Amino acid sequence: LELTEEQLKQNLKDVKERIADACARAGRDPEEVTLVAVSKTKPLDDIRVIFSQGQTAFGENYVQEFCEKYDELGDTVDWHMIGHLQRNKVKYIIGKTKLIHSVDSLRLADQIEKEAAKKDVTADILMEVNIAKEESKWGFTEEEAPEAAKAIAEHPHIRLHGLMTSAPITDDPENDRKYFRMLRELAEKIDAEHIPGVEMNELSMGMTQDFETAIEEGATIVRVGTAIFGARNYK
Ligand SMILES: *Cc1c(COP(=O)(O)O)cnc(C)c1O
């Protein structure tokens, strides 16, 4: 399963080219799109190879794995927490993340506020939205998201920057276009409410299966794992 250094570098180059091409098609500046290299289950050596190519943003899903990697690499890397976060684990990651994408409940936001206040830091977050209403997925519904944004805005140690979603698994990225559009429109709707302290500048959407479609629909952050690091082995 492990890729060679050359393969990893080539994969990163290919993904960046595909991002640039999607931006060109959409008339967007590639500078507007942040690539988060999703390194969950992958070893530090792979991260170091990708980092050596100028890639600074990495995404992790599991708190323990993230903390082990953080202990080695610290803040040289911009860490993005993208996986479902249990409230009792929040204390381990506050102050270490550039952005928490996966804030999927008000109780989780309350816990983040509490731990960020303790450490006297501001936690930068996105709200995760289950835009396709999948049973298996975490996230706010489209309907509850605007009220939730208002509630989150009350927290002085949290800054809400936008929305995140994962589209259903599919073989055809065109199937996901409608969901990306829905997320963008939801962000516009929340933005129009001018909630003090709330920005809707970031749309985290698009993974290996559909990041180009997501960029065409306005993604500002894409989260790409497999296309860079190869298939994951969860054992
Ligand atoms: C694992 C993961 C990704 C990356 O998925 P790939 O298909 O490997 O690109 C992106 N977002 C989330 C939330 C993930 O859990």
Side-chain angles (χ1 to χ4, degrees):
L1 270 178
E2 299 301 326
L3 301 183
T4 66
E5 201 171 319
E6 290 321 307
Q7 283 171 320
L8 286 167
K9 289 178 181 173
Q10 188 59 48
N11 282 351
L12 179 66
K13 208 164 156 246
D14 291 345
V15 167
K16 283 187 179 165
E17 270 174 29
R18 288 169 61 188
I19 289 172
D21 289 347
C23 285
R25 280 198 298 281
R28 300 184 60 197
D29 181 348
E31 295 282 309
E32 291 171 24
V33 180
T34 299
L35 169 63
V36 172
V38 176
S39 45
K40 63 175 179 238
T41 79
K42 296 296 178 181
L44 279 171
D45 284 345
D46 289 10
I47 296 180
R48 288 194 175 103
V49 170
I50 296 299
F51 182 72
S52 77
Q53 303 307 105
Q55 173 64 32
T56 51
F58 290 84
E60 291 286 339
N61 286 57
Y62 312 109
V63 169
Q64 190 182 338
E65 181 185 355
F66 162 61
C67 288
E68 284 167 15
K69 288 171 172 172
Y70 184 89
D71 285 347
E72 294 295 324
L73 300 174
D75 292 323
T76 53
V77 163
D78 291 335
W79 295 105
H80 291 248
M81 175 51 65
I82 64 172
H84 174 63
L85 191 51
Q86 288 172 292
R87 285 180 300 135
N88 62 356
K89 303 248 173 90
V90 168
K91 57 178 175 284
Y92 301 116
I93 71 161
I94 292 301
K96 299 178 182 173
T97 54
K98 172 92 174 169
L99 188 64
I100 303 172
H101 295 224
S102 44
V103 177
D104 54 16
S105 73
L106 289 179
R107 293 176 77 206
L108 177 60
D110 290 345
Q111 189 66 26
I112 291 171
E113 168 61 29
K114 199 170 137 194
E115 295 296 334
K118 254 191 225 169
K119 294 199 168 81
D120 198 22
V121 296
T122 301
D124 294 297
I125 72 153
L126 305 177
M127 279 170 50
E128 181 169 358
V129 182
N130 184 358
I131 202 86
K133 296 189 158 55
E134 288 179 278
E135 292 278 341
S136 59
K137 287 234 171 88
W138 300 97
F140 294 97
T141 65
E142 194 186 346
E143 292 74 20
E144 62 197 8
E147 281 306 311
K150 270 182 211 151
I152 288 173
E154 302 290 320
H155 293 319
H157 296 86
I158 294 182
R159 200 165 300 135
L160 176 58
H161 293 275
L163 305 179
M164 176 269 218
T165 201
S166 303
I169 292 172
T170 178
D171 291 332
D172 181 0
E174 276 307 312
N175 294 335
D176 297 341
R177 191 178 294 280
K178 60 177 173 297
Y179 298 118
F180 297 146
R181 214 169 266 172
M182 284 164 75
L183 193 75
R184 188 189 63 213
E185 286 167 2
L186 179 60
E188 286 165 0
K189 185 178 157 189
I190 295 172
D191 200 37
E193 298 196 18
H194 301 293
I195 305 164
V198 170
E199 292 170 11
M200 281 287 132
N201 297 336
E202 303 292 347
L203 284 178
S204 170
M205 55 188 196
M207 334 201 314
T208 292
Q209 68 173 13
D210 53 19
F211 68 88
E212 289 146 303
T213 310
I215 288 169
E216 289 167 14
E217 294 303 329
T220 64
I221 304 175
V222 291
R223 311 178 307 268
V224 180
T226 308
I228 296 172
F229 293 103
R232 285 179 292 273
N233 181 352
Y234 282 96
K235 278 186 208 140

